[in-house]
Amino acid sequence: MQGTNDAIKCPECREEIEIPKNGADGFKTDFYSKNLVEYVQIQQSLKSDEIRVCYGCSKHLKVAAHCFKCNDFLCKDCHNFHVTNKMMKDHQKHTLSLEDIEAKKITIEKLASMRDAPRCHIHLEEIAKLYCVTCVNLPVCIACTYGKHKGHSLYEVTALAQLKREELTQKLKTLEEINRDKNVKGLKQAVSIEKEKLIKMHHEKDQKIMTKIQDTEGRRKLVEQEKQKTEKKIFDSLQTEMEHEIQGVKKKYEDIFRVKKLELNNIFKARQSSLEKELAKLHEQRERFERDKKKLLESIEKQLIENMKIIETMSQHFDNTKKRFETLNVMTSSILASDNDWSAVQCIPDMCTAATNLMKDLKTDFPELTTLTDVTLNYKQYSFGKPSVTNISENFDKKITINDPYRFVFGMASSGDGNIVISGITSDRPASFIIVVDMNGQMLKEKILNTGKFGTDRYCKFLSQRKVASACKPNEIGLYNVRDGSYIKKNISDVISSWPKDRYVICVATDPANNHILVGGDNSRDVYVFNDQLNYLRILTLPEMIRWTGDMTVSDGHLLVCDYDGEKCYVTAMDGLVSNLVGEFMKPNLEGNKFRPRSVCSDKNGFVYVLWESSSQYYIVQYNHDGNQVLTTRMLDADAYVVTVVETSQGEKLLVATYNTQTVYLYDLMTAD
C-alpha cells in the first residue's frame, strides 16, 4: 500500500485513510474478508482431521460442527444436541455442519448469515443494536446512546443496510454503462493501417516524379529531333532554290541561308538552354523531395513509437481497471446476495468509495494519438515544351501622370510590393525628391530632400523588399525605406579618399543577390561597390572600350552597362577588381541619327530591355540573355528617359518614365510559347 507517514492508500478502492492514533486496532473491520478467512480456516480444520476439545463435552474428539454463537467447535453428539434441544434454539441457525462444507453446500454468503450479531465495542456482554456512523461504523448497544455515543449519528442496522444496498446497486449500474462506452480495442491495428497507407502514398508520389523525369527526357529528345529535321528541311529547301537560280545571284542565296541558319541556331540554343534549366530544376526538386520524404518517414516512425507507448500505457490502464471492476463486481455481488445487515453496513460504504474512484478512472479520456492520414508531400509542377519568350505589348496598357510641372524624373524602381518608386529633381527649389505611387498614379509617400543646390539629379534602383538604393549629385549614396519613408545617406567623398573632387555620380545599380550597391561616376570607368549598410567594399574597373557609365544594371551575375558617349551597350563580368568584357549588345537597325543607349533593365526570365534615343526618337529594344539577338523593337512617342520592370498582381510590367512630361507608361510583358 502506498501513502505518506500519516496516511495510507487502499490498494482496492484507492481511498486515502489516516492512520488511527491507536495503530492497526483503530482500523474498521472488513467483515467480508473476516468471513472469508474463517471459511478457509474451517475448511483447513476439516481437511486435516484435527482432534480438538469439544466445547460441549470437553472431550478430545474429531470436530463435526462449528457454532458461531458459542464461537467454538463441537463433536458429533454435541452437534446433535445443539440442533435438536429447544434450549439451544437460538444457536441452531448459527451452527455449521462440517459435512455441509465438505459437500460444498455452504457459501460465503450463507456463512456470513450464520455469524452472530456483533457485541457492543464497549459493553462486550451486550449485543449491538445500533450502528454509529459518527464513529466510523462502530456497533453499539442501547446503553451507549446515553454514554459515549450520545448525540452521534446512530442508525438501525437493517434500514441502513437496505439504503446502502440500493446505493451500491445504482453505482454498479452506472459503472457497467461507462464500461460499455469505453473501447480501446483496435487502436494498435488502426495505427498499423495508417502507416501502411502513408508508405503507399509515398511510393505513388515517387512514381509520379519518376514518370515526369522520363517524360521530360523524352521531350528534350523530341526537341533535338525537331531541330535536326527543321535544319534539314531549311537546307534542302534553300539548296533546291539555289540550284534553279542563275550563277550571278548564287552568292546572295548562300548569304541568306547562312543568316537563316544562324537565327535558327540562336532559337534552338535558347530552347535547349531553357530545357536544361527546367530539367535541372526537376532533378533538384526530386532530391529535395527525397530529403523531405526521409525526414517525414523518420518523423512518422518516431510518432509511431510514441503512439505505441501511449497505447501500451492505455492497455495497462485498461487491464488494471478491468481487474478492479471484476474484483469489485464479485465483492459487491456477494454483499448484495447476503442477508447479513451488519456485513452490508460495514462493507458497502467502502465498496461505494471504490466504485466512485473506479468511475473517475473510467471517465478519464485517453490521450489523442497524432493522426498519420493528413500528411502530404507538395511538389512544384513544371511544364515543358517550347521555352517561354516574353513579348512587349504593341501599345502601352496604362499611363500614369504626375501632376507637378516642377518635377523632372531621373530614376525609377520597384518598391518590392507592387508599387513604383520615382526619384528626380524639383525645378522650383534646390531639392530632390523620392515618391511612391501605386499603379493608378495615387501618391502614397513623398520625401523632399533639400540639397542646397539646383540641378541635383537623383537616381534609384530596387535593392530588397521595401528598400531602394539611391544616388544623388554630387556624391551622395543612400537607402530609402519604402515602409516607413525613412532615408539614410553618406557622402562618398567622406568614405573614399580617392574620390576626385570634381567627380559626381551619374547612375546607381544594385545586386540584390549579394545586397550590393554599385555607383557610377561621370567620365570614369570606375564603379564603386558598397554593401547594404553603405559601407565601402571595392572599386570595379570596367574594360577599356567603355568610356563611362550612363546607366547600368545587374542581370544573371553580369553587369550590363550603357556607354552613352560610346553609343554602345556591353555585358561585363563582376569578379575581381578589373572587369572583363563578356559581350556587346547588337545595335538595332534603326533609321535616323546615331542612337545612344540611355537606360537598361531586365525581367525575371533574363530578357534585357534597352532604351535607345536619338534626338527626338526613342525605341525600346528587347534582347535575349546574351544581348546578341534582337527580339522585339517598339517605338515610343514620348521623351523617354528611364526604364524598369515591376512585378504586379497581373504579372510583370515594363515601365517607361519620361523626363519632361512626368508620365509613366506601363507595357504588358506577355509570355508566349
Side-chain angles (χ1 to χ4, degrees):
M1 290 189 290
Q2 298 177 348
T4 62
N5 294 331
D6 298 327
I8 60 172
K9 184 178 288 188
C10 177
E12 288 297 328
C13 67
R14 307 300 173 91
E15 181 183 3
E16 194 169 273
I17 304 171
E18 293 186 3
I19 299 177
K21 293 181 180 180
N22 58 343
D25 293 339
F27 284 117
K28 294 186 294 184
T29 301
D30 186 348
F31 288 97
Y32 179 83
S33 300
K34 183 176 180 182
N35 290 338
L36 185 63
V37 171
E38 288 184 355
Y39 179 73
V40 173
Q41 289 176 345
I42 293 172
Q43 279 187 321
Q44 294 298 325
S45 298
L46 177 65
K47 291 179 181 179
S48 61
D49 293 334
E50 184 178 356
I51 302 300
R52 290 175 175 269
V53 177
C54 175
Y55 179 72
C57 62
S58 300
K59 296 180 181 179
H60 288 76
L61 299 170
K62 181 179 177 181
V63 295
H66 185 276
C67 179
F68 288 95
K69 193 78 171 177
C70 301
N71 196 22
D72 212 335
F73 289 94
L74 301 171
C75 65
K76 186 175 181 181
D77 294 335
C78 291
H79 172 241
N80 292 332
F81 176 78
H82 245 66
V83 297
T84 57
N85 194 293
K86 293 183 179 180
M87 294 175 60
M88 309 301 295
K89 183 178 181 180
D90 58 338
H91 286 240
Q92 292 174 2
K93 65 178 181 178
H94 298 290
T95 303
L96 173 64
S97 173
L98 299 187
E99 292 179 355
D100 291 339
I101 297 178
E102 187 177 13
K104 297 183 179 180
K105 293 181 181 180
I106 190 69
T107 62
I108 296 177
E109 291 77 10
K110 187 174 181 180
L111 182 67
S113 64
M114 290 183 175
R115 291 182 52 84
D116 193 13
R119 301 285 178 170
C120 176
H121 73 103
I122 296 177
H123 307 96
L124 301 179
E125 71 282 2
E126 296 291 334
I127 299 295
K129 302 293 184 179
L130 299 173
Y131 195 71
C132 183
V133 176
T134 305
C135 297
V136 196
N137 306 333
L138 285 179
V140 297
C141 65
I142 298 299
C144 287
T145 61
Y146 300 98
K148 183 178 179 180
H149 294 276
K150 183 178 182 180
H152 288 192
S153 295
L154 302 171
Y155 290 89
E156 198 276 323
V157 68
T158 302
L160 184 60
Q162 180 61 30
L163 181 64
K164 293 299 181 179
R165 286 190 179 97
E166 292 175 356
E167 179 183 351
L168 180 59
T169 302
Q170 182 60 36
K171 285 186 178 291
L172 286 176
K173 182 179 179 181
T174 304
L175 195 61
E176 289 176 357
E177 292 176 353
I178 295 174
N179 189 51
R180 284 196 303 269
D181 292 338
K182 289 288 181 176
N183 182 20
V184 296
K185 295 180 180 179
L187 284 178
K188 295 181 180 179
Q189 182 179 0
V191 171
S192 176
I193 292 174
E194 295 295 340
K195 180 178 178 181
E196 292 296 328
K197 286 182 179 178
L198 188 58
I199 292 174
K200 182 180 179 182
M201 181 186 68
H202 290 168
H203 179 71
E204 292 174 352
K205 294 288 186 183
D206 190 46
Q207 291 296 322
K208 288 181 180 179
I209 291 293
M210 290 301 299
T211 302
K212 286 186 176 292
I213 292 176
Q214 293 172 0
D215 183 58
T216 301
E217 187 66 24
R219 289 173 180 266
R220 188 187 66 79
K221 291 180 180 179
L222 288 175
V223 170
E224 183 65 28
Q225 294 174 2
E226 181 184 353
K227 173 185 174 183
Q228 295 174 1
K229 290 179 181 179
T230 305
E231 287 180 346
K232 186 176 184 303
K233 183 177 180 180
I234 293 175
F235 179 80
D236 293 342
S237 176
L238 293 177
Q239 187 69 28
T240 302
E241 291 178 6
M242 285 189 293
E243 289 175 356
H244 292 85
E245 295 292 340
I246 60 175
Q247 188 67 27
V249 295
K250 182 177 180 179
K251 187 177 182 301
K252 176 182 176 180
Y253 283 99
E254 289 176 349
D255 293 339
I256 292 174
F257 171 74
R258 186 163 51 254
V259 171
K260 287 187 176 290
K261 184 176 180 180
L262 179 61
E263 291 178 353
L264 187 63
N265 283 335
N266 290 337
I267 293 173
F268 275 104
K269 283 182 180 178
R271 290 187 178 183
Q272 186 71 18
S273 176
S274 177
L275 273 177
E276 289 175 354
K277 289 181 179 180
E278 295 291 350
L279 189 60
K281 287 181 181 179
L282 191 58
H283 279 294
E284 181 182 354
Q285 180 199 13
R286 185 175 183 274
E287 292 175 358
R288 185 168 60 253
F289 173 81
E290 289 294 338
R291 292 194 300 269
D292 293 343
K293 186 177 79 170
K294 182 179 178 181
K295 291 180 181 178
L296 188 59
L297 288 175
E298 290 175 354
S299 176
I300 290 171
E301 188 64 28
K302 182 179 178 181
Q303 191 61 54
L304 283 174
I305 294 174
E306 293 178 358
N307 285 352
M308 292 303 294
K309 290 180 180 179
I310 293 174
I311 290 174
E312 183 64 27
T313 302
M314 291 162 54
S315 179
Q316 292 176 359
H317 173 79
F318 177 77
D319 292 342
N320 183 44
T321 304
K322 183 179 178 183
K323 290 179 181 178
R324 290 169 55 194
F325 174 77
E326 292 174 350
T327 300
L328 183 62
N329 195 35
V330 172
M331 294 174 64
T332 54
S333 298
S334 299
I335 291 297
L336 293 174
S338 172
D339 58 355
N340 189 309
D341 295 340
W342 286 103
S343 296
V345 170
Q346 287 283 347
C347 300
I348 287 178
D350 295 335
M351 293 184 182
C352 287
T353 300
T356 301
N357 293 332
L358 185 57
M359 280 189 286
K360 290 181 181 179
D361 291 345
L362 284 175
K363 289 180 180 178
T364 302
D365 292 333
F366 294 123
E368 294 184 0
L369 299 178
T370 301
T371 178
L372 305 176
T373 59
D374 297 332
V375 181
T376 58
L377 294 177
N378 297 320
Y379 59 92
K380 182 179 179 181
Q381 296 182 347
Y382 294 98
S383 60
F384 295 90
K386 296 181 180 179
S388 297
V389 177
T390 305
N391 294 327
I392 308 173
S393 59
E394 290 286 347
N395 300 306
F396 61 84
D397 176 58
K398 184 184 291 186
K399 180 171 71 172
I400 299 173
T401 302
I402 304 170
N403 296 318
D404 189 342
Y406 300 105
R407 295 181 191 263
F408 296 93
V409 177
F410 277 88
M412 182 170 58
S414 168
S415 65
D417 58 1
N419 295 319
I420 309 169
V421 179
I422 301 174
S423 65
I425 64 172
T426 58
S427 61
D428 60 336
R429 50 179 166 166
S432 62
F433 69 88
I434 300 176
I435 62 174
V436 181
V437 298
D438 61 18
M439 287 300 167
N440 296 316
Q442 181 69 35
M443 186 181 297
L444 305 177
K445 287 186 175 64
E446 180 182 33
K447 187 80 172 180
I448 302 297
L449 302 162
N450 295 318
T451 58
K453 293 182 181 180
F454 284 94
T456 49
D457 305 344
R458 181 172 293 278
Y459 312 93
C460 66
K461 285 287 175 69
F462 171 78
L463 176 62
S464 61
Q465 187 69 19
R466 296 179 180 266
K467 285 189 177 181
V468 173
S470 178
C472 185
K473 289 181 180 179
N475 61 9
E476 178 188 305
I477 181 175
L479 272 178
Y480 177 71
N481 191 312
V482 179
R483 186 187 299 275
D484 57 18
S486 61
Y487 180 72
I488 59 174
K489 65 178 181 178
K490 286 184 179 180
N491 288 327
I492 299 176
S493 58
D494 295 338
V495 179
I496 305 174
S497 59
S498 60
W499 180 271
K501 292 182 179 180
D502 58 347
R503 179 169 296 171
Y504 56 85
V505 297
I506 195 66
C507 65
V508 65
T510 57
D511 181 8
N514 298 305
N515 285 328
H516 287 172
I517 305 171
L518 297 84
V519 178
D522 67 309
N523 297 315
S524 174
R525 293 186 290 111
D526 290 340
V527 175
Y528 298 84
V529 184
F530 299 81
N531 63 15
D532 59 354
Q533 303 300 315
L534 303 183
N535 296 320
Y536 169 66
L537 300 177
R538 62 188 174 95
I539 294 178
L540 176 66
T541 302
L542 300 177
E544 293 181 355
M545 70 283 299
I546 300 177
R547 296 185 183 181
W548 54 286
T549 55
D551 189 26
M552 56 186 176
T553 192
V554 176
S555 178
D556 289 339
H558 294 121
L559 185 64
L560 312 182
V561 180
C562 289
D563 185 357
Y564 187 80
D565 278 4
E567 302 176 2
K568 292 183 179 180
C569 194
Y570 298 96
V571 182
T572 69
M574 297 177 62
D575 301 330
L577 301 177
V578 179
S579 174
N580 295 320
L581 183 67
V582 175
E584 178 181 338
F585 282 80
M586 181 182 294
K587 202 166 185 178
N589 185 17
L590 302 172
E591 295 182 359
N593 299 324
K594 294 182 179 180
F595 281 87
R596 301 170 184 267
R598 167 61 70 183
S599 182
V600 62
C601 67
S602 63
D603 63 21
K604 64 182 180 182
N605 292 320
F607 295 101
V608 181
Y609 305 87
V610 180
L611 173 61
W612 294 87
E613 70 171 30
S614 174
S615 298
S616 60
Q617 291 182 305
Y618 301 89
Y619 286 89
I620 282 287
V621 180
Q622 181 192 38
Y623 293 89
N624 64 350
H625 303 68
D626 301 325
N628 56 14
Q629 184 181 0
V630 175
L631 302 177
T632 310
T633 302
R634 294 284 182 267
M635 184 176 181
L636 306 174
D637 296 331
D639 57 333
Y641 194 86
V642 61
V643 296
T644 191
V645 173
V646 174
E647 181 71 34
T648 70
S649 58
Q650 290 80 34
E652 277 193 309
K653 302 282 187 181
L654 177 65
L655 276 59
V656 181
T658 64
Y659 173 72
N660 289 317
T661 58
Q662 300 89 36
T663 304
V664 178
Y665 295 90
L666 281 71
Y667 290 85
D668 285 330
L669 295 182
M670 302 173 294
T671 301
D673 294 334

